[in-house]
Amino acid sequence: MAIEDFFNHTCNIFHMKDISQKREYGLPDNKVFQYSNVPDIREQPCHFSVKSGTVSTVQREPQKELDARLKLTLPIDTDIRVNDKVVDCESGYEYEAEVPRNIRDHHIVVWIHRVHPKSV
């Protein structure tokens, strides 16, 4: 079985970009970090490993929310970085990447944790 057969999910990856905001009154420019609206990598084959992660529900207002820390496995040539936003194409859940690990130049493993949308 090849490693490509293991990648049964897809995800979109957004790299964090720094943008300078001009400020008034002679103050120095303000550096802001944000994600673009368009994914840097679209429909990347991957595998979300729920068994090796921790998944729980937490009661928050106005409803329960899913907290998760999962292991994400990617092909070796994937450009993923710390703090990248990873969106599961199937569920739409958003995750934030921790430190990616190169496993013997065979594949990449990165722990990701669930990011909850901001309440308005």
Side-chain angles (χ1 to χ4, degrees):
M1 181 173 162
I3 188 74
E4 291 77 21
D5 298 334
F6 181 64
F7 302 129
N8 56 349
H9 303 118
T10 56
C11 65
N12 293 332
I13 299 174
F14 299 79
H15 298 309
M16 186 174 280
K17 298 184 175 42
D18 59 333
I19 298 168
S20 292
Q21 285 184 336
K22 297 285 185 193
R23 296 200 292 184
E24 302 292 324
Y25 307 109
L27 294 171
D29 291 347
N30 190 21
K31 218 176 219 189
V32 177
F33 296 95
Q34 64 185 25
Y35 302 106
S36 65
N37 295 331
V38 179
D40 294 294
I41 302 172
R42 183 179 293 276
E43 295 183 3
Q44 172 65 51
C46 63
H47 178 75
F48 290 92
S49 195
V50 178
K51 271 191 174 178
S52 62
T54 55
V55 179
S56 61
T57 56
V58 177
Q59 181 63 46
R60 293 194 177 103
E61 291 299 325
Q63 75 266 349
K64 290 183 182 180
E65 290 183 355
L66 178 72
D67 274 350
R69 184 174 185 260
L70 309 173
K71 185 167 72 170
L72 178 66
T73 308
L74 298 158
I76 190 64
D77 58 348
T78 306
D79 181 19
I80 188 159
R81 308 168 193 162
V82 176
N83 295 329
D84 278 356
K85 180 169 73 170
V86 177
V87 178
D88 185 348
C89 291
E90 185 178 331
S91 67
Y93 288 150
E94 294 182 6
Y95 301 90
E96 190 172 290
E98 295 178 11
V99 179
R101 301 283 182 216
N102 180 334
I103 309 300
R104 298 182 184 157
D105 288 329
H106 185 259
H107 61 279
I108 295 174
V109 170
V110 59
W111 285 94
I112 55 175
H113 58 272
R114 174 90 192 277
V115 178
H116 298 286
K118 303 285 188 255
S119 301
V120 180

